[in-house]
Structure formats: C-alpha cells, structure tokens
Amino acid sequence: MNSTIASASEPVVFPNGASTLFIGHSIYVPVSREFDTFAEKKSSLFPNHKHEEYFQGGEKGDPVYLWENHKDEVEAFLASGDIELFGMTVGLRDGVFPESDDMVEGYKPWIDLALTYNNNTSIFIGIPWPDFPTDYENAASYTSIYDTMRLEVYPNVIVPLRDIYPDVDIHFLAYGTVATKMKSMFENDELDDICRERKDVPFFGGTDENSLFRDKKGHGGTMLLNLAGLAWLHWFYGTDVEDLADEADDLGWDRDDALEVLNEVFTVNEEYRLVMDSARDNVFG
C-alpha cells in the first residue's frame, strides 16, 4: 500500500483553521460535521476554526434551490463578515445532473453575495458520492459514473469559475472518491471493518459502524463519514495523511485500510488543488 501521498509541497490552505459555512444536503453537510469534529479535537492546532451550516435534504440542498428558497437564512451567516471558507455541493435538479453552464450560473450569485460581506472569502465546491449506490451492478460501474461527474465538473464548472473570479480561491474536492474506493475494497474483501454494504440488507440488524452505507439512498456509515471528514481536514487545514491514518486508527478503524482510501482520494484529486500562493491563504505553511 502506498503511504507517501503527502509532501511538503502540498498546500496548507488554512494552517490555523478558518471560519467556515457549508450549505447543502445529507451527503454533504454531515461530512462537514465530521470535519468540524476532527478540527475541534485539534483545537490547539486550529484556533481559528469555526463551523456553521445550513441543511436542506435531497435536491433542496442544491445551490439554485437554496438561492431561490432559503437565501435569507444563508445570508444571515454570510452577513457576519467573518466567513472565510464558504462551501457548497453539487446536487441534482429535477432528478438529473445539471448542465455545466447552468451549474456555473447557479454558483455565481452565492459567490457574489459572499464577497459583498467579505471579499477575502474562499469558496469550496465538493462533489458527493452518487446516491442509491447498491442499485449499481458493481463498484466499477459506480466508480465510472462518479468519475464521469468529476471529469465533467472540473473543466466545465470549476475552471470557468476560477477564470470569472481570478482573485478568489475556489477549491474543489471530489470527496465522493472515499465511497467509490471503499465500495471497491468491500467487493474485493479488502475492507476489514465493514461486513455489509447496507445496514438493512440482506436483513435488519446491521449497524452504522459495520455498514458502508446506512440505507438505500446511500447515506454514509460511520467509517465512510469519518474518512470523508478526515479528507476535508487534510484538504483545508493541511493535516498530514499519516496523522489522518493515526486518527482513523484511534477511532478503531484498520489503519492500513484508512490510509489506502485517503491516498486514493488525494491521488484522484491532485490536479484540482490550488497550489498558487495566495494573499488570503498560507498555501505553503
């Protein structure tokens, strides 16, 4: 197993933590809560960390829906002027994946609004794992659809947004790779801590701890949420990957399995990193 993904050249975006706001659905906001939990555990390292969230389930967590229906509630957080990292997800609209141009237009009002209150706000857009994971034939087909999503979103949504807002740090992480990698390892009997893909199948009696997903929708089990939250801790605060694996080990997960999953996430996402030095973020801490 490769355990050498982290290096001194990788960016440490907010080395002391940040005041954050994450808005979205149930395969996004719960990951932000895990990230918050880990950051709070290391509060001496991240004294500037603060977590706020606005949650709406399913398609109601899409940025366009939130803008049209819950703008005032989210704006109340932004109006403090303290938000340094504002995160949004990628969501379905009317059951389908939006066109790239529509996605760009959906993010722009939120970015503009955030910048009116704090022109140093950094933006984060994250792609969750696809829902209804057990409806797919196998891990390969599940991974394929997810890879298609991220390979569409990065060049056609993230890059254009970075061009539109050249002075704004727009971060991107396909954190759903945690789920696709774990599903592949599970199918190959390589995920020691997980004994069932869904908590309720083939019969009731599974637990959040021993199941990859909690339900048919694909809400994450405990290990999946833990590792996704740890991935965010590295992506935003620069925690070394070996330290993340130690944290997973402390939680009772197999350290080598956790390391393999996290290494896959960062390898897949390597080209998406912001690596330029920034007036706002200490990229090379």
Side-chain angles (χ1 to χ4, degrees):
M1 297 181 185
N2 178 16
S3 61
T4 60
I5 192 66
S7 71
S9 65
E10 289 187 343
V12 179
V13 184
F14 294 98
N16 297 314
S19 179
T20 66
L21 170 64
F22 302 101
I23 64 173
H25 49 52
S26 58
I27 309 183
Y28 182 81
V29 169
V31 177
S32 83
R33 294 171 187 159
E34 294 290 316
F35 164 64
D36 176 52
T37 296
F38 293 126
E40 288 290 347
K41 284 178 67 176
K42 299 179 181 294
S43 58
S44 62
L45 297 177
F46 309 121
N48 297 338
H49 173 76
K50 181 180 178 183
H51 172 270
E52 302 285 2
E53 65 176 63
Y54 189 80
F55 170 80
Q56 288 289 318
E59 294 188 11
K60 294 181 179 180
D62 173 74
V64 171
Y65 183 91
L66 290 173
W67 181 264
E68 294 174 347
N69 296 277
H70 299 283
K71 173 179 173 287
D72 291 346
E73 295 97 311
V74 176
E75 186 173 8
F77 292 108
L78 296 171
S80 70
D82 296 330
I83 299 302
E84 298 171 287
L85 178 63
F86 176 36
M88 295 171 279
T89 188
V90 174
L92 299 178
R93 299 177 197 165
D94 299 321
V96 298
F97 198 61
E99 294 291 329
S100 297
D101 289 346
D102 292 338
M103 293 175 67
V104 170
E105 292 304 312
Y107 290 120
K108 285 169 59 180
W110 282 121
I111 296 173
D112 291 338
L113 182 64
L115 294 175
T116 64
Y117 290 110
N118 179 358
N119 61 9
N120 289 327
T121 302
S122 294
I123 304 300
F124 165 52
I125 295 169
I127 305 184
W129 52 89
D131 56 5
F132 300 104
T134 55
D135 287 354
Y136 291 82
E137 180 180 359
N138 51 38
S141 59
Y142 186 62
T143 301
S144 176
I145 193 68
Y146 186 69
D147 286 347
T148 299
M149 290 169 57
R150 67 177 178 81
L151 293 171
E152 169 71 19
V153 170
Y154 180 69
N156 298 309
V157 178
I158 304 303
V159 171
L161 284 172
R162 288 176 175 173
D163 289 341
I164 294 167
Y165 300 96
D167 297 323
V168 178
D169 290 338
I170 298 179
H171 302 281
F172 175 66
L173 180 65
Y175 68 91
T177 303
V178 174
T180 60
K181 178 63 174 176
M182 289 181 68
K183 185 174 170 68
S184 176
M185 291 173 68
F186 174 78
E187 286 190 4
N188 292 321
D189 294 322
E190 297 172 346
L191 201 57
D192 292 345
D193 297 305
I194 302 299
C195 65
R196 52 200 297 162
E197 187 170 14
R198 261 175 60 187
K199 180 172 144 178
D200 57 339
V201 174
F203 50 82
F204 289 95
T207 68
D208 290 352
E209 287 71 29
N210 67 18
S211 306
L212 181 51
F213 302 103
R214 291 192 289 112
D215 50 31
K216 181 177 176 63
K217 174 69 174 174
H219 294 110
T222 303
M223 186 179 185
L224 172 51
L225 289 175
N226 284 170
L227 295 187
L230 287 170
W232 286 26
L233 194 69
H234 172 76
W235 205 247
F236 300 129
Y237 291 179
T239 303
D240 185 80
V241 181
E242 292 288 342
D243 292 338
L244 300 181
D246 289 342
E247 184 68 36
D249 184 60
D250 289 345
L251 292 169
W253 307 123
D254 183 276
R255 188 184 189 281
D256 288 341
D257 287 352
L259 193 59
E260 183 170 348
V261 172
L262 292 166
N263 280 336
E264 177 74 7
V265 174
F266 303 135
T267 298
V268 165
N269 283 275
E270 184 176 6
E271 69 174 295
Y272 307 147
R273 277 190 197 275
L274 286 178
V275 296
M276 74 288 282
D277 200 4
S278 163
R280 292 169 301 285
D281 301 336
N282 180 10
V283 176
F284 297 102

